Amino acid sequence: MSARLLPGRDPAAIAEAAAVLLRGGLVAFPTETVYGLGANAFEPRAVARVFEAKARPSFDPLIVHLADAAGLEQVASAADPRVRPLAERFWPGPLTLVLPRRPGIPDIVTAGLETVGVRVPAHPVALALLRAAATPVAAPSANPFGYVSPTTAEHVIDRLGDAVEIVLDGGPCPVGVESTILSLAGPPLILRPGGVPREELEAALGCPLPVAPPSDRPTAPGQLLAHYATHTPLRILAGRPAPRPPAGSARVALLAFRPAEVEGYAAVEVLADDGSFATAAANLFAALRRLDAAGVDLILAEPCGETGLGHAIMDRLRRAAAAGRP
Ligand code: TXA
Ligand code: MG
């Protein structure tokens, strides 16, 4: 099977994609963060095909996507008084809440956990699909397990084109890094930094929020130390890039945060012409994929500050850098 690429703004394409979901097929769709690989959350066999397509370990739970917060009760318990205000403030948007699950949600979605991750994505194509299908949609990022997440429809076709029936094209994802995952199943804890800055969540909840450290025995595989990785080894620089690559080194690519006067690198990507975290986040995964395809031996990445979206950017770079190490 090879995927059909359909325009996400076309109502006929949305109707067709919704029908595919309802008969147990897979649809890749854009969200504001990254493209998702969706299956009907109440169809365990369809969800199993998502794991198969991604070669994803079955212990890894999926995020359930909803058309609106009213759908929450179908999949999770929203009894916690913190849920409503967070949903009102941040949904639709790049925040995933981990909450106690409802019994009806299949085990394969939650990987057998007593909790479920849920979010309402802020993308017109995703919302149109969720409304048309009228069912919660379980969707991980639409990339092979461990690889860089997709931020364009072409990224999805490149790596998963054989595994999905329809890819809805919504252009490049505006946020560019995945949702922030906040667990409210116990004491509030950020399981993965992402599109909603920690500072905004702390302000909304009125308490400091610890961030779960990356580990090799995570409760969420997004916490895996080596994840979001290029095949090419990646190293994070201590500061601004040197004007030239290290003498005598093999072919080296540069991932610069802001514009830099450099020469001699085999490839250069600048994440933020304007120096902003938002621009850098939106460009991050596409730039990593281009450098990974440039045939170099090493990618050197310039670090950025760790406030706001900078936290998620540095988190993804550190995990990519960890992947090549023993
Ligand atoms: O922005 C996003 O969140 C994108 C778009 C498509 O919505 N999705 C995404 O999904 O990044 P995925 O599967 O690539 O990453 C979801 C992370 C995984 O690390 C998973 O382990 C964690 O969320 N997760 C899901 N449900 C969980 C739960 N009940 N408890 C803890 N972690 C959970
Ligand atoms: Mg992922």
Side-chain angles (χ1 to χ4, degrees):
M1 178 177 64
S2 91
R4 282 188 304 142
L5 181 62
L6 301 180
R9 307 275 169 168
D10 175 3
I14 293 290
E16 223 182 306
V20 166
L21 286 176
L22 291 174
R23 59 162 198 268
L26 305 190
V27 172
F29 60 96
T31 79
E32 78 281 32
T33 59
V34 301
Y35 277 69
L37 177 62
N40 183 348
F42 287 116
E43 253 324 314
R45 266 182 307 180
V47 177
R49 290 181 55 211
V50 170
F51 286 97
E52 205 172 57
K54 282 185 62 100
R56 180 172 184 145
S58 52
F59 56 75
D60 191 354
L62 303 183
I63 293 173
V64 175
H65 296 69
L66 305 171
D68 52 48
L72 195 53
E73 294 287 344
Q74 274 182 281
V75 296
S77 158
D80 187 318
R82 294 167 299 194
V83 171
R84 252 328 108 233
L86 285 173
E88 268 164 35
R89 166 88 197 276
F90 295 104
W91 283 353
L95 175 67
T96 294
L97 294 177
V98 171
L99 300 170
R101 68 186 278 192
R102 290 269 179 238
I105 192 86
D107 274 333
I108 189 166
V109 173
T110 66
L113 298 176
E114 285 311 306
T115 57
V116 60
V118 280
R119 82 179 192 99
V120 179
H123 194 290
V125 175
L127 290 173
L129 178 66
L130 289 162
R131 284 189 200 113
T135 181
V137 170
S141 52
N143 53 290
F145 183 72
Y147 193 64
V148 182
S149 296
T151 53
T152 66
E154 291 71 33
H155 292 163
V156 180
I157 299 268
D158 274 358
R159 305 273 165 163
L160 291 181
D162 291 336
V164 43
E165 281 180 54
I166 290 178
V167 179
L168 291 172
D169 191 353
C173 301
V175 174
V177 290
E178 298 84 348
S179 60
T180 302
I181 303 180
L182 173 64
S183 172
L184 294 178
L189 177 67
I190 292 180
L191 298 180
R192 177 178 73 182
V196 173
R198 169 190 185 176
E199 296 88 331
E200 287 185 26
L201 290 173
E202 289 179 334
L205 286 173
C207 66
L209 281 176
V211 181
S215 85
D216 52 6
R217 295 193 58 214
T219 55
Q223 286 170 250
L224 283 173
L225 182 54
H227 208 72
Y228 308 105
T230 49
H231 297 305
T232 313
L234 179 145
R235 201 160 73 217
I236 301 175
L237 295 165
R240 291 246 64 197
R244 300 187 59 82
S249 58
R251 284 167 57 81
V252 176
L254 176 66
L255 182 68
F257 180 74
R258 56 184 92 243
E261 296 269 326
V262 295
E263 55 179 330
Y265 290 91
V268 177
E269 291 281 343
V270 175
L271 289 181
D273 283 329
D274 59 2
S276 80
F277 290 143
T279 304
N283 288 326
L284 178 66
F285 290 143
L288 282 172
R289 281 168 183 258
R290 284 192 294 270
L291 294 182
D292 207 18
V296 298
D297 302 306
L298 176 66
I299 299 169
L300 294 177
E302 178 183 3
C304 67
E306 292 202 55
T307 55
L309 281 177
H311 191 192
I313 295 168
M314 285 305 293
D315 172 81
R316 304 303 186 270
L317 287 178
R318 272 196 290 268
R319 291 176 210 237
R325 286 195 232 118

